Amino acid sequence: NQGFVNQYNHGQSVTVKDPLTGQPFPNNVIPSNRISGVATYLIGRLWTAPTGPGLVNNEFTNALHPHEREKGDLRMDYNLSSRHSVYGRYGQTYVHGESPSAPFQLSDSSSQIQHFPGHSASLSDTFIFNPHLTNELRVGFTRTLLSFSDPYQNQNVMAAAGVQGTGVTGLPGLSFTGIGAFTGISALSFTQSTNQILGFNDNVSYFAGKHSLKVGVQFNREQTFADNLITPPTFTFSGS
């Protein structure tokens, strides 16, 4: 395949020059043997063919942007006696979203997939010792997973394009400057983190006439676990 004929820069025709000699290419066409095999692969693998005429504003992709959120709670209140009651709750949330990138092939248009399941539980125990003294114990736990993935996370895109020896899977970034409105795509890889919090507090309340006193103790333990792949590099092209 031969290269760009009558290339446009912000909609204006320009002369395509050989960067090695500074001279224009014959007939303003880049010879096929001068086009990077890596670039040829990435363009053919990731981008769709133009859907309209011309060299600018010539593509339309009807990519979906699905987003769904579900939430459910289960609650229980139980009185063991006139002085003793317990309360329990379990909740579950689920969020799933996909962010499309218009230039990609439609099958891979959801370039970033977001997956956020979460669980929470709490328990409360209240006991009245006498008209003057009450104790309340609360225990809670939450666990949330934050996961960002993409269709390329298990693919060695750079090796397939001809860049060997990286050992990095995922989609490399492409940055373009000085060639038009399109500035490129961001590097994508799999990232996942889990955040969980375990806490409890205990309060003792004392009542005497018009006076009341409440003392307690609280403890929270927060943990975060991360599982991230190495983010592929970003290749920058200046157009000069």
Side-chain angles (χ1 to χ4, degrees), residues 52-75:
L55 295 179
V56 294
N57 298 324
N58 60 0
E59 181 178 359
F60 173 79
T61 301
N62 187 18
L64 300 178
H65 188 178
H67 180 86
E68 58 181 313
R69 184 178 186 274
E70 300 175 359
K71 187 178 187 302
D73 291 283
L74 177 66
R75 172 171 173 161

Side-chain angles (χ1 to χ4, degrees), residues 68-214:
E68 58 181 313
R69 184 178 186 274
E70 300 175 359
K71 187 178 187 302
D73 291 283
L74 177 66
R75 172 171 173 161
M76 179 196 71
D77 293 271
Y78 185 69
N79 294 321
L80 287 85
S81 69
S82 60
R83 297 191 304 163
H84 193 187
S85 63
V86 295
Y87 152 78
R89 184 188 66 82
Y90 171 76
Q92 182 172 326
T93 59
Y94 175 81
V95 178
H96 178 85
E98 299 180 7
S99 300
S101 294
F104 286 176
Q105 302 285 350
L106 192 58
S107 60
D108 297 332
S109 63
S110 298
S111 58
Q112 189 173 79
I113 303 170
Q114 305 166 357
H115 184 59
F116 306 149
H119 304 269
S120 63
S122 61
L123 176 67
S124 175
D125 182 287
T126 303
F127 186 80
I128 302 174
F129 292 97
N130 54 56
H132 302 286
L133 190 63
T134 300
N135 185 82
E136 183 179 28
L137 173 67
R138 294 181 178 180
V139 180
F141 176 79
T142 62
R143 181 183 178 92
T144 304
L145 172 70
L146 303 177
S147 174
F148 297 89
S149 60
D150 65 89
Y152 308 96
Q153 65 185 37
N154 296 319
Q155 302 179 30
N156 195 332
V157 178
M158 290 189 292
V163 182
Q164 303 297 326
T166 65
V168 177
T169 59
L171 181 69
L174 301 174
S175 176
F176 305 97
T177 59
I179 60 172
F182 179 65
T183 58
I185 59 176
S186 300
L188 297 176
S189 65
F190 174 78
T191 62
Q192 175 176 292
S193 64
T194 301
N195 180 264
Q196 64 181 33
I197 302 175
L198 172 65
F200 78 89
N201 65 74
D202 187 77
N203 300 310
V204 177
S205 300
Y206 179 76
F207 306 93
K210 297 182 179 180
H211 303 279
S212 64
L213 175 66
K214 185 175 184 178

Side-chain angles (χ1 to χ4, degrees), residues 8-12 56 178-181:
Y8 279 73
N9 184 23
H10 296 281
Q12 301 298 318
V56 294
I179 60 172

